[in-house]
Amino acid sequence: MKNFVKYVGTAAMLLLLTLVYSACKKNGGYYDASDEAVPFAGNTYEYLKSKPGVYDSLIVAIDRMGLKKTLTDSNVTLFAVTNPSFQLALRNLNSLRKLSDKDPLFLSNIDGIQLDTMVSYYIIRGVKTTDSLKLQDGLNLTSVKVAYPMHAKSTKGSASGEVGAGPEVIEFSNTKKSKFIRNWATSTTASNNIRTKNGVVHVISPDHTFGFDGFVTRLTFVPPPPNLMVTIGGTFSSNRENDGGPTSGENSKKVIDGDDHTKFLCNINGFLTMQFKLKTPEVSSVYTLISANDAPERDPKAWTYEGSQDGVNWTELHRVTNFFFEERYQQKIFRCTNTVAYQYYRVNITELRNGGTFQLAEWTINKTK
């Protein structure tokens, strides 16, 4: 009898080990339930509504921006943001507002233009499952409403310390209109390939901050006053020019053409002066700079903003040292206490982040409020 019990116990143990081994071998050491899940019977919007307590904030944003119809009858891929991601973004924003003694903001009353742009990041044209994102370089994506360029790449996560042994995740990126990956803001998914009648849903990890890294800056941004170069007009000049000359694709006047996707590129040769003569004198206590598309080492690091009545004798209005742009195509607004109407204004750049090649997308001289 003892031998029989021992035999049965040994056989049961061998059977259990065989089953465990087979399961691990079949799924590479993990089980990805999402790939075998039964498709949701409704459309993408109805899927969100079927998960109370998970997507409530996303639904509020979608409803407010009039995107319900898009998620109902269009073929789309939704990178679904859960409630914790919105809570994190709003907490960051309102902590900053509290320091300035400002009332808190909520999804119901934040700037609709900015909210519309940020919600659109997550709704992509066409149906993009993980299989379509397995290219070595991933896949460039386009948002439905404003055709904003996003990017996604399917990859294997880590498991038990082994790289690539875990479940499949998607690296979902806001490209910030830059071809350089170092300038992108990237999040990952927690669940993939949830099929609906009109598309597919990938769920963004809950530690993601809604809006990527632009939520707070977008909603605390105060636009500059009117640009005097446009409202009054005048003449631009620079002591340096692009190596290709004044008609080249990156010549000096690209810095005032109103397009942040063009730029002025040149060798600084010690210092660079960009000057503008207004048609009539005007008080400026504000000016702006916009970073160009690539190579942060080319950004200006130190400069002075100056005014003049005759273009010969200059008064320093503002001085900046050890400055840096946090991202590409970023507008920075600088304010000073000038109360004098000058006809000439200039930016005298004395130092770059690194090296001797300068670039800038835009410079404006702005009216005092």
Side-chain angles (χ1 to χ4, degrees), residues 47-59 81-85 87:
Y47 171 76
L48 298 179
K49 295 288 285 187
S50 74
K51 303 292 182 182
V54 179
Y55 302 114
D56 308 79
S57 297
L58 180 58
I59 291 169
V81 184
T82 58
N83 289 343
S85 294
Q87 292 164 0

Side-chain angles (χ1 to χ4, degrees), residues 99 153 178 288:
L99 294 175
K153 180 180 179 180
S178 172
T288 74

Side-chain angles (χ1 to χ4, degrees), residues 13-299:
M13 182 61 71
L14 288 172
L15 178 61
L16 178 61
L17 289 172
T18 300
L19 291 172
V20 171
Y21 173 76
S22 298
C24 290
K25 184 175 180 181
K26 179 180 179 181
N27 293 301
Y30 71 94
Y31 180 70
D32 188 0
S34 62
D35 288 336
E36 300 181 15
V38 177
F40 181 72
N43 59 51
T44 299
Y45 184 82
E46 290 169 338
Y47 171 76
L48 298 179
K49 295 288 285 187
S50 74
K51 303 292 182 182
V54 179
Y55 302 114
D56 308 79
S57 297
L58 180 58
I59 291 169
V60 169
I62 287 169
D63 287 347
R64 187 180 167 201
M65 294 301 103
L67 289 164
K68 176 180 177 180
K69 182 174 174 60
T70 300
L71 296 185
T72 300
D73 60 12
S74 300
N75 290 327
V76 294
T77 297
L78 174 65
F79 286 85
V81 184
T82 58
N83 289 343
S85 294
F86 282 91
Q87 292 164 0
L88 181 59
L90 288 167
R91 184 164 62 247
N92 291 343
L93 173 65
N94 288 322
S95 294
L96 184 61
R97 289 180 63 84
K98 185 177 181 180
L99 294 175
S100 303
D101 294 323
K102 295 180 179 178
D103 293 334
L105 290 176
F106 305 96
L107 288 177
S108 59
N109 64 352
I110 63 177
D111 186 343
I113 294 176
Q114 304 296 352
L115 180 62
D116 190 36
T117 299
M118 290 185 284
V119 171
S120 296
Y121 290 157
Y122 302 92
I123 308 175
I124 303 300
R125 293 175 180 173
V127 179
K128 310 295 182 184
T129 63
T130 51
D131 286 342
S132 68
L133 306 175
K134 289 181 179 178
L135 299 173
Q136 182 176 355
D137 295 327
L139 191 65
N140 294 322
L141 307 175
T142 304
S143 70
V144 290
K145 198 165 186 181
V146 294
Y148 190 88
M150 302 292 287
H151 185 274
K153 180 180 179 180
S154 179
T155 185
K156 292 283 188 180
S158 299
S160 301
E162 184 178 350
V163 177
E168 195 166 47
V169 299
I170 298 172
E171 295 177 351
F172 183 55
S173 301
N174 176 359
T175 68
K176 302 182 182 179
K177 301 180 180 179
S178 172
K179 65 181 179 180
F180 297 97
I181 296 176
R182 65 176 179 266
N183 298 328
W184 296 0
T186 299
S187 188
T188 57
T189 57
S191 181
N192 306 323
N193 298 331
I194 301 169
R195 290 280 192 168
T196 68
K197 280 186 174 180
N198 63 315
V200 64
V201 177
H202 306 299
V203 183
I204 297 288
S205 299
D207 60 354
H208 168 71
T209 303
F210 171 72
F212 290 87
D213 55 2
F215 186 81
V216 172
T217 54
R218 279 181 170 274
L219 295 175
T220 55
F221 176 73
V222 178
N227 179 3
L228 294 173
M229 295 178 179
V230 174
T231 58
I232 293 181
T235 305
F236 172 84
S237 61
S238 173
N239 72 323
R240 310 286 182 216
E241 187 52 83
N242 181 270
D243 289 345
T247 59
S248 64
E250 296 177 332
N251 69 76
S252 59
K253 289 188 178 179
K254 296 296 183 181
V255 82
I256 63 164
D257 66 356
D259 183 355
D260 64 6
H261 279 61
T262 64
K263 68 181 179 184
F264 175 24
L265 178 74
C266 73
N267 293 316
I268 195 170
N269 293 325
F271 72 97
L272 168 68
T273 298
M274 298 183 299
Q275 176 180 304
F276 199 87
K277 178 185 179 183
L278 297 171
K279 289 183 176 179
T280 57
E282 182 65 66
V283 179
S284 170
S285 62
V286 181
Y287 65 102
T288 74
L289 303 178
I290 299 180
S291 60
N293 64 320
D294 61 10
E297 64 269 17
R298 298 173 178 172
D299 293 342

Side-chain angles (χ1 to χ4, degrees), residues 300-303 319-325 350-353:
K301 180 179 180 180
W303 66 85
R319 176 178 289 269
V320 176
T321 59
N322 200 33
F323 171 83
F324 68 96
F325 289 101
T350 56
E351 187 179 1
L352 306 179
R353 296 303 303 174

